[in-house]
């Protein structure tokens, strides 16, 4: 039996937490085509569904992709256009890792027909499911808050200079959500004791851009959490929810989610 496209926990409140890059499942036969290093899936947003396990208690809906971003990137548009000017690896099926090294062994890269097949098999159904959740939530609550949840290594010299702040909030330069929502979330980050940035290195990916339509009652934010705030970056597979760093960051994420659930237009 094939793995499901997504794990979903339904809530009754206005908040949807979307986690597109935590999956570790590979398509059949794909592992053998990857380099040895890529086979370890180093660009995974490790364990985020477990880190946000409290979502159901807050009334939020959670949807998390099961398949690796090396199968297909669910935070790009359907044609795989670059998110930012100078993006080094546009495309739905990435060819290089965040460190600039190749994902595939030489000659094993997907061709256009394979990219199209992956789009039909994984990208389209996932986006349809997310769109349905958004539609149902707006019908039920009158407005939608979509939190696109990601994590990232502290240092990515191939993409960014220096070390990243702990918590990186993106709202498309304030265009993807109401100003009062951005202010409320920024206050949570500022009071957290962690370093934070707003619309600096990260502006908001495809999902934030697509669903960030505050005039239509659709408010979207992206949060990039640096991974060493909740795990040992050298051994992500050895992580457990009882990890001391996870226990420390947990209340901050809970306060952020509570703030978004209770926010009123």
């Amino acid at each position: 039996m094939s793995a499901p496209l997504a794990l979903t926990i339904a809530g009754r409140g206005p908040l949807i937490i979307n986690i597109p890059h935590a999956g570790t499942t590979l398509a059949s036969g794909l592992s053998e085509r990857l380099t040895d290093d890529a086979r370890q899936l180093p660009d995974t947003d490790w364990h985020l569904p477990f880190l946000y396990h409290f979502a159901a208690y807050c009334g939020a809906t959670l949807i998390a992709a099961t398949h690796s971003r090396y199968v297909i990137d669910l935070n790009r548009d359907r044609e795989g256009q670059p998110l930012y000017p100078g993006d080094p690896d546009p495309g739905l099926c990435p060819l290089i890792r965040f460190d600039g090294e190749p994902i595939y062994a030489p000659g094993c890269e997907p061709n256009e027909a394979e990219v199209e097949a992956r789009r039909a098999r994984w990208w389209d159904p996932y986006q349809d499911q997310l769109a349905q959740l958004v539609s149902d939530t707006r019908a039920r609550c009158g407005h939608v808050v979509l939190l696109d949840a990601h994590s990232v290594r502290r240092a990515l010299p191939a993409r960014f200079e220096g070390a990243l702040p702990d918590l990186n909030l993106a709202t498309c330069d304030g265009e993807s959500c109401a100003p009062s929502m951005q202010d409320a979330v920024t206050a949570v980050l500022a009071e957290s004791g962690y370093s934070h940035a707003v619309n600096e290195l990260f502006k908001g990916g495809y999902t934030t851009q697509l669903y960030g339509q505050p005039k239509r009652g659709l408010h979207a934010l992206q949060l990039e959490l640096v991974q060493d705030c909740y795990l040992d970056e050298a051994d992500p597979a050895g992580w457990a929810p009882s990890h001391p760093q996870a226990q420390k960051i947990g209340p901050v994420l809970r306060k952020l989610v509570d703030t978004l659930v209770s926010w009123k237009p």
Side-chain angles (χ1 to χ4, degrees):
M1 181 181 296
S2 60
L5 295 171
L7 301 175
T8 306
I9 300 172
R12 299 298 299 174
L15 176 62
I16 299 170
I17 302 173
N18 179 51
I19 305 177
H21 292 151
T24 56
T25 299
L26 292 173
S28 177
L30 183 56
S31 178
E32 294 80 1
R33 297 163 57 189
L34 305 184
T35 66
D36 289 342
D37 288 340
R39 206 170 290 127
Q40 305 306 309
L41 308 180
D43 298 325
T44 302
D45 290 4
W46 295 103
H47 311 298
L48 285 190
F50 298 98
L51 200 63
Y52 285 91
H53 71 280
F54 55 81
Y57 302 106
C58 302
T61 293
L62 185 145
I63 177 172
T66 57
H67 284 71
S68 170
R69 71 193 306 162
Y70 290 173
V71 176
I72 199 155
D73 191 335
L74 297 168
N75 197 31
R76 290 194 184 271
D77 77 6
R78 198 175 188 280
E79 304 307 317
Q81 295 301 311
L83 292 177
Y84 308 111
D87 190 331
D89 187 27
L92 285 179
C93 302
L95 301 179
I96 59 172
R97 307 195 309 257
F98 288 165
D99 61 7
E101 295 300 315
I103 291 172
Y104 291 88
C108 293
E109 299 87 352
N111 58 25
E112 291 184 10
E114 183 178 355
V115 172
E116 176 56 38
R118 292 192 200 181
R119 180 190 291 120
R121 174 66 180 86
W122 288 288
W123 195 93
D124 288 345
Y126 188 90
Q127 300 298 339
D128 288 347
Q129 186 172 351
L130 179 58
Q132 189 63 56
L133 288 174
V134 169
S135 177
D136 292 346
T137 300
R138 182 162 60 169
R140 183 176 64 250
C141 300
H143 73 282
V144 177
V145 181
L146 193 149
L147 175 63
D148 209 45
H150 299 262
S151 70
V152 64
R153 295 196 296 279
R154 175 71 67 182
L156 290 171
R159 297 202 172 205
F160 304 113
E161 294 184 5
L164 295 174
D166 299 324
L167 297 159
N168 298 270
L169 179 67
T171 64
C172 302
D173 288 326
E175 297 295 324
S176 65
C177 70
S180 62
M181 178 181 292
Q182 178 173 307
D183 291 346
V185 172
T186 300
V188 171
L189 303 187
E191 296 166 1
S192 69
Y194 289 86
S195 61
H196 73 282
V198 180
N199 291 314
E200 292 186 8
L201 296 176
F202 298 94
K203 300 291 188 178
Y206 167 73
T207 304
T208 309
Q209 296 168 19
L210 177 67
Y211 289 107
Q213 303 178 51
K215 291 181 179 179
R216 298 183 58 221
L218 303 176
H219 305 267
L221 315 89
Q222 178 176 309
L223 182 69
E224 291 275 357
L225 168 63
V226 165
Q227 289 176 348
D228 66 17
C229 291
Y230 70 98
L231 53 71
D232 178 359
E233 289 189 7
D235 182 28
W239 182 85
S242 59
H243 191 288
Q245 293 295 86
Q247 294 293 307
K248 183 180 177 183
I249 194 68
V252 176
L253 298 179
R254 176 66 184 263
K255 185 174 182 180
L256 183 149
V257 167
D258 284 340
T259 297
L260 292 175
V261 170
S262 61
W263 180 85
K264 302 295 184 184

